[in-house]
Every structure is written in C-alpha cells, then in structure tokens.
Amino acid sequence: MRIATWNVNSITARLPRLLAWLESSGTDVLCIQETKTTAEQFPADALRELGYESAVHATGRWNGVAVLSRVGLEDVVRGLPGDPGFDGVQEPRALSATCGPVRVWSVYVPNGREVKHPHYAYKLQWFEALKAAVAGDAAGSRPFAVLGDFNVAPTDDDVYDVAAFEGLTHVTPAERAALASLREAGLSDVVPRPLKYERPYTYWDYRQLCFPKNRGMRIDLVYGNEPFAKAVQDAYVDREERKGKGASDHAPVVVDLDVQDA
C-alpha cells in the first residue's frame, strides 16, 4: 500500500501535475494540504475518473486539506476537535479518514508567522489540540499516521543552514517541543530517504534559487503509530516533482507499507 502527503500550494494551479503524478506513482492514499479552493470547487470529478474518492475540508483562501483514496474512504472527520481557532475562526487545517486498513489525518499546521505574533501562540495551541485529537488512534492496534505540512523542522539537520533561521519560526525550541510532545502520544517520525543529496528536504522557497541550490527544509512529515511504523517498507521524498514549470514549492513524501504484516 502506498501512502503520500503533498502540500500542493493550490490544487487548481497544480491539477494537471497532480493527475499525472497520481497515474504514474501508483499512490493509493494521498493527503493534500493547502488546496486553496472551496469544497465546491474541489476537482472531485477529475479525481474520480482516476479511481479516487475525495474527502475535503476547505473554504478557499490559503488553507484547505483533503484525503484522496482508491482503497476506500470512511469515517471522515472534518476539522480538529478542540481547535483553538484564530481570530475567532476555526480554519480548515485537519481532516481524518479511514482508507482500507489504515487511518490517516491530513494536517496543515499553522505557519506561526513571527515568534511574537499571535499566530505563533495559536500554532502551539493547535499542536496541543492535535495531540489530544489523535491520542486514541495513536494508541490503537490499527496502522495510523498523521501526515502533512507541520511547518516545523524537527532538528537542525532538517534545514540547509540553521543560522539562516535564527530568530525565525519553524525551528524554535517551543515548536520542536510541540513536535516532541506529539510523538509522546505514541507516534514516531517516519524519515524518508532523499532521491538526491544527503538530506530529505521537502520544501524549497520559490525565491533566491532555493531549489537549484538545495536550500531546503524538511517540514512535511509522516508521524505513525507502532503498527504503522512496523509496516513501513520504504519512504522517500519525490524530489523530481518539485522540478519544472508550475511545481509546488513542496515535494510529495511517499511511504510504502506492508499492511499485512502490521
């Protein structure tokens, strides 16, 4: 079984690439972030033609998450229970579903903006709500994973130059402590292998030739419980999908599972 996560940075802009990638990659379940579309505008019909059911939680603008599956799609939960919200609004940042033998959450963790910004405090509160929401599934016997854009690099090795991020979000001790706390719910980091270079970066800014210079970050993560982690046969960053015209600034992270051994 092949599961992936991908921040597409607008599914409308990326649809031709997404459809081609789904056909060529053999992915069974894809967690998508930053759809930048409403649920009504989501291209469910085009995906259905490829054999994928869609569950979507999106209201437009810069958020939105989805799960695509060709192995079944049940028990869908839209939104994060206990979501603290920002400026009185609960943003569409989390969606869970059962896909065949596996349950997944697709999450788009708040960016945080700046360390002293209210969005940063919201980010840390959101992590607390996420941990509470996934605790039951994480402790269960069914393979389970939280996949998505976490907007945190877990370690200094997960950024091209930690000095370049001094004083900025995504690398602060508080954000990394929030990730560590999430793992304490019974999840482990499924670290993918890179297809090129030494570090499995998943995001490269569009600016300053970051991708050609490999100035990247690993912020798209797969956190699985013990049955999920034991079933992992391979995991990699599909760096090729970051290349070329019209690419997202994120690359897909792909995980192959032998769920029969889970």
Side-chain angles (χ1 to χ4, degrees):
M1 184 175 185
R2 176 162 286 180
I3 297 178
T5 182
W6 190 5
N7 179 325
V8 295
N9 189 16
S10 174
I11 195 168
T12 302
R14 238 59 68 188
L15 185 58
R17 292 187 67 130
L18 171 62
L19 296 175
W21 186 80
L22 286 170
E23 283 197 287
S24 64
S25 68
T27 299
D28 297 302
V29 178
L30 175 61
C31 295
I32 291 178
Q33 302 83 43
E34 210 168 352
T35 63
K36 291 185 177 179
T37 183
T38 64
E40 293 75 20
Q41 295 167 332
F42 192 85
D45 290 343
L47 293 162
R48 190 177 298 111
E49 290 180 4
L50 290 182
Y52 290 90
E53 297 178 79
S54 303
V56 186
H57 184 39
T59 56
R61 303 186 72 184
W62 55 83
N63 296 319
V65 289
V67 173
L68 313 181
S69 174
R70 61 179 187 181
V71 293
L73 192 63
E74 300 177 341
D75 302 324
V76 174
V77 176
R78 292 174 174 84
L80 181 64
D83 188 335
F86 184 68
D87 279 347
V89 177
Q90 290 187 333
E91 300 173 328
R93 294 184 173 274
L95 183 148
S96 61
T98 299
C99 305
V102 176
R103 184 156 181 83
V104 299
W105 276 84
S106 177
V107 300
Y108 181 37
V109 176
N111 177 280
R113 301 181 188 174
E114 300 173 357
V115 173
K116 294 183 180 181
H117 195 284
H119 209 260
Y120 180 80
Y122 163 56
K123 181 178 189 174
L124 299 180
Q125 293 166 356
W126 200 93
F127 264 119
E128 292 178 3
L130 178 63
K131 179 180 179 180
V134 306
D137 282 324
S141 59
R142 174 174 54 186
F144 167 76
V146 185
L147 307 93
D149 179 355
F150 283 68
N151 272 314
V152 182
T155 72
D156 287 355
D157 287 339
D158 294 310
V159 296
Y160 72 92
D161 180 4
V162 71
F165 294 87
E166 185 175 356
L168 302 179
T169 60
H170 291 54
V171 299
T172 64
E175 290 167 295
R176 289 177 172 173
L179 275 182
S181 180
L182 182 61
R183 292 193 295 270
E184 289 171 0
L187 303 172
S188 59
D189 188 355
V190 178
V191 180
R193 58 185 175 87
L195 294 187
K196 187 178 181 180
Y197 302 114
E198 295 182 356
R199 303 294 182 191
Y201 299 143
T202 65
Y203 164 82
W204 300 259
D205 198 304
Y206 287 128
R207 300 168 294 181
Q208 300 177 336
L209 298 175
C210 282
F211 182 65
K213 295 179 180 179
N214 200 36
R215 294 177 176 173
M217 308 175 70
R218 186 173 77 93
I219 58 176
D220 301 89
L221 310 175
V222 177
Y223 274 17
N225 69 353
E226 185 176 358
F228 186 97
K230 285 184 175 180
V232 173
Q233 300 296 297
D234 191 15
Y236 63 92
V237 180
D238 190 350
R239 191 180 184 278
E240 294 297 305
E241 197 52 41
R242 177 59 177 82
K243 293 181 178 180
K245 184 178 180 180
S248 170
D249 45 3
H250 297 250
V253 178
V254 181
V255 180
D256 289 334
L257 300 175
D258 183 354
V259 288
Q260 309 231 339
D261 291 339

